[in-house]
Structure formats: C-alpha cells, structure tokens
Amino acid sequence: MKTIWRNTILRWLIGLAACITIGLVLGHLLAVVLLYVLGTLYWQFYQLYTFHHWLRHSGRKAPPETSGIWGEVFDSVYRLQKKQRKSKRRMRQALTRIESSTAALKEGVIMADNQGNLEWWNNSAAHFLGLMRPVDRGQAITNIVRNPDFFRYFSQKRFGEPLVIKSPAKSGVYLEIQTTLYDKNDHLIFIRDVTRLHLLEQMRKDFVANASHELKTPLTVIKGYLETLSMFKDSLPASMQKGIVNMSDQSERMEHLIEDLLLLSRLESNDKREVDQWLKVSDLIQAIQKMASPILTDQHQLTFDIPEDARLYGSFKELYSAFSNLVVNAIKYSPDGGEITVMWEANEFSGVFSVQDTGLGIEPRYIPRLTERFFRVDKGRGSKTGGTGLGLAIVKHVILHHDAKLQIRSQPGFGSTFSCHFPASRIRTDAFALESDTEALKSSD
Ligand code: ADP
C-alpha cells in the first residue's frame, strides 16, 4: 500500500519536474505547469467518474482496467463486494433453512412485536388461528384471537403458565399457548394442539363429577338407616353400638368427601360459574363465624379484624368455601389454647384476606404440595380431624377464579398464616363505592 502511494507521488513529481524543464526551455514555465496540474486534475476526475459509474451500474462486473492508486481502489472495493455477497448468500441460505424448518413444525410459531402486532408466523399457526398472509400482518393478535381468557393472559402478560383455549378457526380443537418475551419485549408465541389431552382431562373431570353424584343417593339411604338404628342403639349389644357410631362417623366423612369433590368439579368447569358481584367482606365473615361456632371449643380464641366498609368483587359461594376452609383448618390444626386471627387489610395495590393461627405449623418441604388433591402432611392427623384433603385444592381454584394469589407462611410448632392476595381491580371500600355511585349519578344528569 505504502509503495503504491510512494510510486504515485514520485511519478507525479517526475512529471512536474519534466514540465518545469520544458517550461524553462520554452520560456512559458507557468503555463506549462498549470497545464500539467489541470491535466492531472482532469485525470483524477475522470477516474472518479469511472469509479462512480462502475459502482452504480456494473458493481457486480469486474472493475475497469486501470493502474496506480485507482487500480488498487477498484480492486479493493471489488474484493470487499465479493466477500459481502458471499456472506449475504450464506445468511440467506441459513434463514431459508430456519424458515423452512419452522414452517414444517407441527407446533405453531408466531413472532409479534412488543405491542402484540403480528410480524411473522408459520403454517401451523396460520392453520390453528386462521391467520392469512399478508392481510393479518401488523394486526394485533388480540384482534384475531377474540377470547376473554386470551385477552387477559396477553394484556396482563401472565406468561408464567401456559393457557389452553378453543381454536378460533377449527371447531373442537383446543390449543395450548405459551409466550416468551425476547429482545425488546417482543413476543415469541408457541401454539400446541392439546385436544386429545384436553378431552382426556374432561373425561376425568366428568367421571369424578358423575361418580360423586351417583354416590350421593346410596349414601343418603345408608345414613338414613344408620340414624334409625342409632335411635334404638341402647337396645343393641355393646359391640354393635360401637359399630353404629363408627359407621355414622365414616358416612359423615364420606358425605363431606363427596360434597368437596362435587364442589371441585363445579369450580373446574368454568362455564358453570355464577356471575361475580361486589360483596361486603364483613357479610362473608359473618356467615363463616356462624358456620365456625359449633366446631369451636372453649379452648380456642377466634378473633376477627374486618373493616365494615371493605368490599370484594367475586362469587359469594366460592369465596365462602375458600375462606371457611382456611378458618376451619386453622381451628382443626390448632391444639387447645390456640389463637386464630382472621384479618382483611387493603391498600391501593391489593386486598389481603388472611387467617393466622398459633397451631401445629407445617414443615417448609410440604408447603408447595399443600394445594394438591388429597395431600395431607400427616395422614393420621387428617383422618382424626375428619379432613378430606381437598380443602386447599378448593381454595386454590377459588383464588385462581378471582385473579388472586395464595401465600402460605408456616413454621412447625409456631403456627401458620394463609393469605389470599386480591388485585386492586377486585377491591374497594364503601366510601369509594359511594363516590363512584355519585359520579355515575352526576354523569347521568
Ligand atoms: P384437610 O381436609 O386434610 O384439612 P386441606 O387440603 O384443607 O385438607 O389441607 C391439606 C393439609 O394441609 C392438611 O391435611 C394439613 O396437614 C395441612 N394444613 C392445612 N391447614 C393447616 C394449618 N392451618 N395448620 C397446619 N397444617 C395445615
């Protein structure tokens, strides 16, 4: 590189020296030197023009033959262009391979920007959601998948758990949607056909619901006969008397089990839910207080700290089941002398219903499993207390229906606190209710 520059400058200086000599000989030094400088300038402009022309019109062809520094410039640019074209071709090939492999995937793949507007999707995604190219490009995904659960999942970015919805394009097809955020919060959405799994799960739910329902009638008959037998208990031998008491206890347990199984089935089938409404938390607590009084012993101290004006948006029946399960558990798993506090606390971000006890407590390793069906920390403890092992599974479902979170804090020997955290959208106070009612009245005027 350096040699070329040295040679070019040297050649120009030799030319200049020759012109000076000729100018001196002819007696027109200035004119000859000016002519030389203008000639050199013309040559440079001409080369620049050729270079520009080659770049614009025939950059792919070999550069025009020229020597010196311009020859070097032409060759370097040509070599750089060739290299760039090669890497571009290689990248295009890799992209085509990625595109054709994702197009062949059975799972649907969608790329959407950070607002959820569709950018790219594969054939399976088009098939599952009925997407059409190019009309749907740039459309918001929530405009295409018009499903309230999906809208909530996507707009509130609840991407921790996959969501199962009905396909908007194929009837009878169930889809599992999983979303990951990447780069600048862009969305990568995977869609899987889970129809078979969904139907199996539905069959399981139906079986449990039907079996529980069918068991109700024979159990009512058995309970009826047991009650009649109990009336004549005293005239029966002692061994029979014990048997009748035992049978009555067990049939009672079985009845609770069936009731809990039926309640869980109802909670699992979303379509049978009653409409949510604004409830007074104190009304709920009053009903729970009434239910709890027969099972409370003198040895337990049950305190309620619930503001009168607290309101919660939800289903009375469901919330009653969840909250009463927590209160009954606190009583069941607190030995004599136990203190139980039921509280409602709210701020601008959330409302928290909590049940705190000074009972047996739970080892940390069991806490993640507590909401599983039939899970009991101590099987013996469960049967003694008449528990079904379904109470916290019911609580979990109710909590999910109310967009809330269940938090369990416990220490063996020191008691437990079960708290349900409701989002701000589901809580308010009477004062706020009055304010918004007045606002509504004013605006209707
Ligand atoms: P169960 O009908 O057996 O009470 P749950 O689903 O309500 O079933 O509770 C599951 C298990 O969690 C219980 O068997 C018990 O071991 C434990 N548990 C629940 N609440 C408490 C509590 N307040 N204190 C200690 N252990 C508890």
Side-chain angles (χ1 to χ4, degrees):
M1 194 72 183
K2 262 185 186 168
T3 348
I4 288 182
W5 274 105
R6 209 183 305 127
N7 286 349
T8 310
I9 294 168
L10 205 67
R11 224 179 293 147
W12 188 78
L13 286 176
I14 290 170
L16 185 69
C19 282
I20 291 172
T21 320
I22 295 168
L24 284 174
V25 171
L26 296 177
H28 293 289
L29 177 66
L30 211 67
V32 176
V33 169
L34 196 68
L35 213 64
Y36 177 68
V37 171
L38 283 176
T40 320
L41 207 62
Y42 168 75
W43 170 249
Q44 295 303 332
F45 269 119
Y46 176 70
Q47 290 298 337
L48 201 63
Y49 166 78
T50 324
F51 180 59
H52 185 225
H53 189 267
W54 171 71
L55 268 186
R56 289 203 59 183
H57 300 285
S58 50
R60 281 170 169 273
K61 287 186 196 156
E65 275 304 321
T66 184
S67 58
I69 193 70
W70 277 107
E72 184 64 26
V73 169
F74 275 116
D75 286 347
S76 307
V77 173
Y78 186 54
R79 245 179 281 126
L80 208 74
Q81 275 188 334
K82 257 171 65 175
K83 212 165 134 189
Q84 233 180 10
R85 268 201 295 274
K86 213 165 158 186
S87 68
K88 221 165 145 182
R89 206 178 313 127
R90 223 176 294 138
M91 269 173 72
R92 201 173 300 133
Q93 274 169 358
L95 207 70
T96 319
R97 272 176 72 84
I98 294 172
E99 264 194 8
S100 48
S101 56
T102 38
L105 271 179
K106 270 192 189 164
E107 280 79 26
V109 185
I110 295 179
M111 285 161 103
D113 64 13
N114 53 7
Q115 304 291 315
N117 299 323
L118 299 174
E119 286 180 337
W120 179 90
W121 56 88
N122 69 352
N123 295 343
S124 303
H127 171 77
F128 289 144
L129 303 182
L131 298 175
M132 278 186 289
R133 249 176 292 239
V135 252
D136 288 333
R137 187 162 288 141
Q139 289 271 358
I141 189 160
T142 40
N143 281 350
I144 289 170
V145 185
R146 289 178 177 273
N147 176 306
D149 289 338
F150 181 77
F151 185 79
R152 227 171 297 138
Y153 164 83
F154 204 80
S155 53
Q156 294 174 8
K157 299 203 181 303
R158 296 183 184 171
F159 303 145
E161 293 281 317
L163 172 80
V164 176
I165 53 161
K166 270 186 189 168
S167 161
K170 302 268 155 239
S171 72
V173 173
Y174 285 85
L175 304 173
E176 186 189 79
I177 314 260
Q178 203 149 20
T179 308
T180 315
L181 294 177
Y182 72 101
D183 203 15
K184 291 172 189 147
N185 276 344
D186 292 343
H187 298 84
L188 186 62
I189 305 162
F190 288 96
I191 307 167
R192 212 157 60 95
D193 183 347
V194 288
T195 312
R196 232 172 68 84
L197 268 175
H198 182 84
L199 292 181
L200 275 172
E201 178 72 356
Q202 196 55 47
M203 261 168 65
R204 179 193 67 77
K205 284 179 193 165
D206 289 349
F207 173 76
V208 175
N210 291 337
S212 314
H213 194 74
E214 290 304 320
L215 280 171
K216 260 178 108 173
T217 321
L219 188 65
T220 315
V221 176
I222 294 171
K223 273 191 80 183
Y225 278 113
L226 278 173
E227 268 165 34
T228 318
L229 275 174
S230 303
M231 287 197 284
F232 305 104
K233 205 167 61 180
D234 296 339
S235 55
L236 293 170
S239 59
M240 286 274 283
Q241 284 183 20
K242 205 175 156 213
I244 289 169
V245 173
N246 243 330
M247 281 195 281
S248 300
D249 285 351
Q250 292 306 320
S251 58
E252 193 87 13
R253 257 193 88 193
M254 206 163 159
E255 195 178 26
H256 285 151
L257 197 65
I258 290 171
E259 274 165 11
D260 279 359
L261 277 171
L262 282 171
L263 178 61
L264 255 181
S265 302
R266 268 199 303 276
L267 286 171
E268 276 181 334
S269 60
N270 271 339
D271 17 305
K272 287 182 198 150
R273 282 200 71 210
E274 61 176 55
V275 189
D276 287 348
Q277 51 184 309
W278 283 106
L279 310 165
K280 270 186 113 176
V281 181
S282 54
D283 285 351
L284 267 165
I285 300 305
Q286 251 176 27
I288 292 169
Q289 227 169 339
K290 221 164 145 190
M291 173 281 305
S293 51
I295 53 169
L296 260 183
T297 64
D298 294 341
Q299 306 299 321
H300 284 120
Q301 193 188 325
L302 183 57
T303 320
F304 291 92
D305 181 3
I306 310 286
E308 257 304 302
D309 60 353
R311 285 197 187 192
L312 177 57
Y313 190 68
S315 145
F316 189 94
K317 264 194 200 159
E318 290 184 7
L319 290 166
Y320 171 80
S321 304
F323 292 175
S324 57
N325 260 309
L326 294 179
V327 174
V328 170
N329 275 353
I331 300 171
K332 273 195 309 194
Y333 301 113
S334 293
D336 288 349
E339 286 172 25
I340 298 144
T341 315
V342 181
M343 267 196 297
W344 173 264
E345 283 170 306
N347 56 33
E348 56 189 304
F349 306 112
S350 63
V352 185
F353 172 84
S354 58
V355 181
Q356 190 180 359
D357 65 56
T358 53
L360 303 170
I362 308 151
E363 275 187 54
R365 66 189 161 124
Y366 294 127
I367 290 180
R369 298 198 55 197
L370 288 184
T371 53
E372 283 175 23
R373 281 150 201 252
F374 299 112
F375 180 81
R376 289 195 196 105
V377 172
D378 171 354
K379 300 272 174 205
R381 199 202 271 186
S383 48
K384 249 183 276 158
T385 53
T388 60
L390 293 172
L392 290 179
I394 292 173
V395 173
K396 183 180 100 176
H397 270 87
V398 174
I399 288 295
L400 270 178
H401 281 181
H402 291 81
D403 312 315
K405 282 196 183 96
L406 176 67
Q407 192 186 50
I408 306 171
R409 273 176 290 141
S410 188
Q411 224 185 329
F414 290 95
S416 321
T417 305
F418 287 75
S419 19
C420 312
H421 296 249
F422 294 89
S425 55
R426 282 196 176 259
I427 58 159
R428 70 182 193 192
T429 56
D430 265 347
F432 178 78
L434 266 174
E435 241 173 63
S436 52
D437 288 349
T438 327
E439 285 294 313
L441 270 174
K442 268 188 204 160
S443 57
S444 66
D445 287 345

